Amino acid sequence: MIAKDLRVGVRSVERWRRAWREGGMEALRSAGPANSPTVTDAQFAVLEEELGRGPSAHGFEDERWTLARSER
């Protein structure tokens, strides 16, 4: 019932319960993200620049990013 209410798998609930039994509330504290970002600062700068150029600079017919786009 807990797994269904939380919309997670039963194994996740079992893992959390085992961690709680073995280490108390501290064991349930988040350790942060599981991995580091895959985009470097330099790549992010390029992305930001390209986004700033707008959709039409990338071949789209208008300036709205939020429209559903079909394969080109």
Side-chain angles (χ1 to χ4, degrees):
M1 174 108 172
I2 292 171
K4 184 178 179 184
D5 289 346
L6 294 176
R7 298 168 133 175
V8 298
V10 172
R11 288 186 180 210
S12 292
V13 174
E14 291 170 350
R15 189 173 57 251
W16 298 335
R17 185 170 186 228
R18 184 172 47 255
W20 175 73
R21 277 195 320 257
E22 294 173 4
M25 292 299 288
E26 187 63 28
L28 297 176
R29 187 176 307 274
S30 173
N35 56 18
S36 59
T38 56
V39 177
T40 67
D41 289 343
Q43 290 170 324
F44 189 81
V46 170
L47 175 62
E48 192 170 40
E49 184 177 323
E50 292 301 319
L51 288 172
R53 291 178 57 208
S56 62
H58 297 280
F60 295 107
E61 296 176 4
D62 56 46
E63 288 297 310
R64 293 177 281 184
W65 284 115
T66 58
L67 292 176
R69 305 289 187 184
S70 60
E71 293 291 321
R72 290 194 270 166

